[in-house]
Amino acid sequence: IPPPEPSPSPAAAVAAPAAGAFVAQAGITNFYTRTSQMCAHVDDAEPYAAAPVVSVSLGVDAVFLLGQRTRDAPPLAVLLRSGDVVLLGGASRFCYHGVPRVLATSSRADADHSDGDADSAVHRYLATHRINLNVRQVHDAAASDDGSVGGGGAGGGARGGCGDDVG
């Protein structure tokens, strides 16, 4: 009996309408406190930029600004809530974006989780913090026979020019 086909990652499922085949090859986790911010930047460090960046928000709400390819145009402000997914692909892949403000509370406040178990500790943390998980395809998976990633990472960082205080 042949082994079952692997199921696509959740990031691949979200990215598929915008990118077709998406291979999750790298991830970045940003931790935010109530005073954290991420200045406007462009995610342009990946050698293969045809694939989108898939971004998942957890925890308290935050203001997300999506600009254009230059800093000249005013950005669009979007309220990100816990569980929201942002897909930066196509024309938006090289637009400036950032998080100028993390809000003190969440519009999706959960019930009290004070029973002391590990899940309640996570809920208490997310009640006052924000976590952003983003997944990227770094290399063209079609360029290798098995879709594996060879040699080095994405390198560098994002083009921006500000002192981000996200840990």
Side-chain angles (χ1 to χ4, degrees), residues 54-58 81 83-86 130-135:
V54 179
S55 176
V56 179
S57 294
L58 303 172
R81 301 180 304 166
D84 285 349
V85 176
V86 172
R130 176 176 187 266
I131 297 175
N132 170 258
L133 308 169
N134 62 78
V135 181

Side-chain angles (χ1 to χ4, degrees), residues 32 35-40 62-65 97-102:
Y32 295 80
T35 60
S36 297
Q37 60 180 310
M38 171 104 37
C39 294
V63 176
F64 176 76
L65 296 180
H97 58 279
V99 177
R101 181 161 183 187
V102 175

Side-chain angles (χ1 to χ4, degrees), residues 105-156:
T105 59
S106 174
S107 59
R108 294 184 179 170
D110 289 342
D112 180 34
H113 295 278
S114 57
D115 56 6
D117 65 5
D119 286 343
S120 67
V122 171
H123 284 280
R124 284 193 306 275
Y125 181 83
L126 291 176
T128 58
H129 295 80
R130 176 176 187 266
I131 297 175
N132 170 258
L133 308 169
N134 62 78
V135 181
R136 300 147 187 263
Q137 181 170 337
V138 178
H139 300 283
D140 183 357
S144 67
D145 292 337
D146 62 1
S148 63
V149 178

Side-chain angles (χ1 to χ4, degrees), residues 74-94:
L76 171 69
V78 177
L79 177 65
L80 290 181
R81 301 180 304 166
S82 189
D84 285 349
V85 176
V86 172
L87 183 70
L88 293 178
S92 68
R93 179 64 168 84
F94 295 106

